[in-house]
Amino acid sequence: MSTPFCTYAAPSPGELTIGWEEERFLPAALALSLRLGLPLTPSPDHPWQLVVTDSGYRVQERQGRERSQVRLDLTRARPATSIRRELLGRAVAWSDSAPPRVLDCTGGFGVDSLQLLNWGCRVHILERHPVIFALLEEAMARAASRPDLAKTMDRASLRQGEALTLLQGPLPFEPEVILLDPMFPPRDKTALVSKEARLLQRLAGDGPPAEEEIQLLTLCRRLALKRVVVKRSRHGPCLGGIRPDFHIAGRSIRFDVHCTTA
C-alpha cells in the first residue's frame, strides 16, 4: 500500500526518518522507508524517527536532552466491567446483548477503538496520516497474532486515507455509531498520557480546515444509523459550532452525541 506523505504533517518528510534497533531489522526498515517515502537513517539521535524494533514500531522525538517516544500496544485492556458507567460506553449506547457496529473516523493511536473491541463491538478504523496508520496496522497485526486476542481483532478492520473520501466509497458494514475524535491540545503537561497525546499531535500536525470538519460531521450524521459521537475537551467548543443533542462529560473530556434516529 503506497501512500504519499500526509500534507497535514507537522514534521516534513525530511525531518521524520526511519530507523532500526538492530541490524536484523534493516530489511523491514528499508521496506517501511520505501512505503512511506521517508529517508532511512541509523542515528538514534535524529530528532524524529520511526524505529523498527523487536516489539513493534516506535516513534520517538528528541528535543535537546528530552526524548519522548510511543510504542503502540493493543494487547493491554481494561477489564470489561461497569461499561455503562464508562463515558465512552454511555456515549455509544453500548448494550451487552447487541454491541454497536462502530466506525472510528479518526483512529489516532487506537485507544477508543481498542476499548470498543474489548467490549464486543465491531470496529472499522480510518486514519489519514500514513505514519500513524503504519503504527496502528503493525500493532493490530501483533495483537491478532496472539491466540487470546485473535477473535477480538477479527472484529477490527483498518483503512488509510481521508475520511471525507473514504466515507463516500464502500464500507465493510453500515455503522450504527460513528466516532470522531478531532485533535485538541492536551492541557496536562505532566501525565504520561498527555506526553503521548502531545507526541501524537506533534506528529499528526494540524488537522483539516474547519469547513472540512463541518463537511465530515454532516456526512457522518447522514451515514450513522443511530448516532455520531464527537470527542472534545471538557470546555472546548462544539465541532464546527454544531450543537449536539446532548453531551456526556468527564473531568477532562466530553462526548458530544448527535442522534440520527428519532
Side-chain angles (χ1 to χ4, degrees):
M1 184 183 303
S2 177
T3 312
F5 194 81
C6 182
T7 56
Y8 296 138
S12 72
E15 291 179 308
L16 183 62
T17 68
I18 305 297
W20 60 97
E21 198 170 57
E22 299 176 21
E23 199 66 24
R24 60 192 171 107
F25 301 127
L26 178 55
L30 177 59
L32 191 60
S33 170
L34 293 172
R35 172 183 165 185
L36 296 176
L38 297 175
L40 203 64
T41 58
S43 172
D45 294 326
H46 196 278
W48 270 99
Q49 276 196 317
L50 178 62
V51 185
V52 180
T53 77
D54 192 35
S55 54
Y57 298 162
R58 178 181 73 232
V59 63
Q60 60 188 35
E61 179 187 22
R62 185 183 294 273
Q63 293 181 333
R65 295 183 178 180
E66 293 190 10
R67 184 171 121 179
S68 301
Q69 64 180 33
V70 170
R71 177 188 285 111
L72 299 195
D73 184 359
L74 301 185
T75 63
R76 296 176 299 176
R78 301 201 318 249
T81 57
S82 304
I83 298 174
R84 291 183 182 84
R85 291 203 296 269
E86 295 269 2
L87 294 181
L88 180 60
R90 292 161 56 195
V92 302
W94 181 88
S95 165
D96 56 359
S97 61
R101 300 184 303 274
V102 182
L103 174 63
D104 184 350
C105 286
T106 45
F109 282 171
V111 175
D112 289 333
S113 288
L114 175 62
Q115 199 63 52
L116 291 166
L117 287 167
N118 286 322
W119 291 343
C121 298
R122 187 178 176 193
V123 183
H124 184 53
I125 307 167
L126 308 180
E127 174 51 50
R128 66 179 176 84
H129 194 290
V131 174
I132 298 173
F133 174 83
L135 286 164
L136 260 179
E137 184 181 46
E138 189 279 331
M140 287 175 65
R142 193 159 20 101
S145 68
R146 282 186 32 169
D148 59 326
L149 294 176
K151 288 185 178 180
T152 296
M153 300 311 295
D154 276 347
R155 295 194 301 272
S157 53
L158 175 68
R159 283 197 67 188
Q160 194 271 324
E162 296 291 345
L164 263 177
T165 301
L166 296 178
L167 290 182
Q168 297 178 58
L171 296 171
F173 53 76
E174 287 188 291
E176 295 169 288
V177 178
I178 297 181
L179 179 63
L180 292 171
D181 182 7
M183 197 75 64
F184 54 84
R187 305 178 73 180
D188 182 357
K189 295 183 180 298
T190 59
L192 176 61
V193 66
S194 292
K195 289 181 181 179
E196 293 179 350
R198 289 200 307 276
L199 185 57
L200 171 61
Q201 188 173 47
R202 168 84 170 97
L203 177 63
D206 295 331
E211 57 269 22
E212 288 189 19
E213 290 188 333
I214 295 174
Q215 291 175 29
L216 179 58
L217 177 55
T218 302
L219 179 58
C220 289
R221 291 173 70 174
R222 291 206 305 266
L223 292 175
L225 297 179
K226 294 184 178 179
R227 56 178 58 185
V228 178
V229 176
V230 184
K231 191 175 184 178
R232 307 298 286 161
S233 62
R234 179 179 172 88
H235 300 293
C238 297
L239 184 65
I242 301 174
R243 294 182 62 85
D245 291 284
F246 63 94
H247 66 259
I248 299 170
R251 301 176 72 176
S252 60
I253 65 167
R254 74 169 195 270
F255 289 101
D256 291 345
V257 179
H258 300 258
C259 296
T260 59
T261 56

